[in-house]
């Protein structure tokens, strides 16, 4: 028994001295002092030792245990310190290096223009609603008085998912969706992305944004439309802005108009911005066609309304005097950082 204890002690101490890292130390601790460790096994076999020898052997086991534990602890301290020193050596901090700048993003010019625009209409009591970009032909065309063979469908060629489902060419289908709900009165704007099968150039893109407006109530007249657009134009482009309503045709409004604003660059005298005319076209509008009201479940004898559609990129470009729409989509930081 004594020899065995001695052997365990010598072997363990040697192993501990040679241990390279903390894991190795732990393995030794388990294999010697653990539940199934060598020394523990010896303790268990004490019952075979003659009674008078037991105190002596017991004392020896305790001594062996203390010696092993002491050396384990000593080595552990040494190894821990060594590890720390190596880590510190690797993690030298050069306080003379320049700091890393935090870059904060900001709103896109389109978004800034949209929020400016929304603020004005919300101030007039409008609600902002959204409609789907993937839309039924029924809402995009049919209910807006643009039947299957209408020439307007040529001008607004788009991307078809099926014969009846397409990428919306305008935000106007939201008009039909809102009217259909039957909730009165209606006073909404609806911004969103629209799609057309157009080639990219300075003023065209296959995907751009519009803001639709719709008001339906009893006794709404063209005067309300004019007052609303005038008020928005002044708040959005500046207090001296004047508007001009030119007769036009849209299938879903009657009468219809296109609206120009006085060029905010030259004030109406004529410049490069307004191509010499003093006026800049910004939107289409009109009184909601009685057939559209009826098809959407509203009695045109009781209710009337007006609608308008603003090209968001168009007003954003004008507001910031940008002459090429492509700049809004190219994500060139040198451009975007200016806003
Ligand atoms: N949706 C039309 C377009 O994309 C714009 C428009 C014109 C909207 C007149 C309207 C409106 O609501 O009344 O060309």
């Amino acid at each position: 028994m004594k020899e065995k204890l001695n052997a365990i002690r010598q072997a363990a101490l040697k192993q501990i001295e040679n241990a390279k890292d903390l894991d190795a130390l732990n393995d030794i601790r388990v294999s010697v002092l653990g539940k199934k460790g060598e020394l523990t096994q010896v303790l268990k076999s004490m019952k075979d030792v003659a009674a008078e020898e037991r105190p002596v052997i017991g004392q020896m086991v305790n001594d062996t245990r203390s010696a092993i534990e002491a050396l384990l602890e000593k080595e552990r301290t040494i190894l821990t310190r060594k590890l720390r020193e190596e880590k510190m050596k690797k993690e030298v901090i050069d306080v003379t290096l320049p700091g890393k700048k935090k870059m904060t993003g900001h709103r896109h010019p389109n978004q800034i223009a949209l929020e400016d625009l929304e603020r004005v209409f919300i101030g007039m009591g409008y609600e902002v609603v959204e409609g789907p970009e993937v839309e039924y032909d029924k809402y995009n065309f049919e209910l807006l008085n643009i039947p299957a063979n209408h020439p307007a469908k040529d001008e607004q060629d788009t991307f078809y998912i099926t014969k009846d489902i397409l990428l919306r060419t305008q935000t106007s289908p939201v008009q039909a969706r809102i009217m259909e709900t039957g909730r009165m009165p209606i006073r909404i704007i609806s911004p969103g992305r629209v799609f057309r099968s157009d080639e990219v150039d300075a003023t065209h893109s296959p995907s751009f944004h519009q803001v639709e407006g719709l008001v339906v109530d009893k006794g709404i007249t063209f005067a309300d439309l004019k007052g609303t657009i005038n008020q928005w134009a002044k708040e959005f482009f500046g207090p001296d802005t004047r508007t001009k309503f030119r007769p036009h045709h849209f299938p879903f409004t009657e009468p219809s108009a296109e609206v120009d604003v006085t060029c905010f660059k030259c004030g109406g005298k004529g410049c490069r911005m307004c191509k010499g005319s003093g006026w800049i076209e910004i939107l289409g509008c009109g009184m909601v066609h009685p057939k559209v009201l009826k098809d959407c479940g509203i009695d045109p004898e009781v209710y009337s309304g007006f609608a308008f559609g603003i090209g968001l990129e168009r007003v954003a470009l004008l507001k910031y005097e940008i002459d090429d729409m492509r700049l809004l989509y190219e994500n060139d930081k040198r451009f975007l950082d200016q806003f």
Side-chain angles (χ1 to χ4, degrees), residues 52-190:
E52 64 275 14
E53 282 233 52
R54 266 184 215 158
V56 186
I57 300 289
Q59 188 58 48
M60 260 189 93
V61 172
N62 285 342
D63 288 350
T64 308
R65 190 180 184 92
S66 315
I68 295 173
E69 274 175 350
L71 192 61
L72 271 173
E73 185 54 32
K74 192 175 144 209
E75 282 299 316
R76 206 179 64 80
T77 317
I78 295 172
L79 276 175
T80 310
R81 189 178 310 138
K82 225 167 86 187
L83 270 176
R84 232 178 94 96
E85 273 165 13
E86 276 167 22
K87 202 167 163 215
M88 296 287 270
K89 253 188 237 157
K90 271 192 236 151
E91 288 180 3
V92 191
I93 296 169
D94 183 350
V95 291
T96 65
L97 282 174
K100 277 192 192 135
K101 252 201 196 149
K102 279 223 174 74
M103 304 282 251
T104 314
H106 62 80
R107 294 175 302 159
H108 188 275
N110 248 355
Q111 185 66 19
I112 301 174
L114 175 60
E115 285 174 22
D116 276 0
L117 187 153
E118 284 180 347
R119 192 174 37 76
V120 179
F121 282 105
I122 289 170
M124 291 196 261
Y126 284 64
E127 191 188 338
V128 181
V129 301
E130 276 184 35
E133 291 172 6
V134 179
E135 185 57 285
Y136 290 104
D137 180 280
K138 177 181 140 190
Y139 291 105
N140 196 82
F141 293 124
E142 204 75 27
L143 283 172
L144 297 175
N145 201 21
I146 309 172
N149 295 316
H150 198 285
K153 267 189 145 169
D154 273 348
E155 278 163 37
Q156 300 195 7
D157 191 16
T158 182
F159 306 90
Y160 283 82
I161 291 99
T162 68
K163 194 168 85 40
D164 304 316
I165 301 174
L166 43 82
L167 297 188
R168 65 176 178 187
T169 60
Q170 46 186 354
T171 43
S172 305
V174 183
Q175 287 189 34
R177 284 182 172 273
I178 294 293
M179 285 193 270
E180 234 186 24
T181 66
R183 278 198 299 274
M184 286 291 175
I186 297 168
R187 203 183 292 129
I188 59 113
I189 55 168
S190 184

Side-chain angles (χ1 to χ4, degrees), residues 156 169-170 172 175 196 210 212-213 250 252-253 284-286 307-309:
Q156 300 195 7
T169 60
Q170 46 186 354
S172 305
Q175 287 189 34
R196 300 219 183 149
Q210 291 185 336
E212 197 73 16
F250 296 105
F252 41 91
T253 42
C285 64
F308 55 87

Side-chain angles (χ1 to χ4, degrees), residues 267-326:
K269 285 199 276 300
C271 68
R272 204 176 69 90
M273 193 87 191
C274 56
K275 299 196 184 91
S277 76
W279 296 96
I280 296 172
E281 181 203 321
I282 51 160
L283 61 88
C285 64
M287 300 305 292
V288 182
H289 198 296
K291 176 161 171 27
V292 173
L293 287 173
K294 211 161 102 213
D295 289 350
C296 293
I298 295 172
D299 185 350
E301 299 295 329
V302 181
Y303 289 100
S304 58
F306 65 76
F308 55 87
I310 303 170
L312 183 62
E313 279 80 357
R314 186 160 179 85
V315 293
L317 294 178
L318 287 171
K319 196 165 166 149
Y320 301 117
E321 299 179 27
I322 307 162
D323 58 9
D324 194 327
M325 185 164 161
R326 284 169 288 199

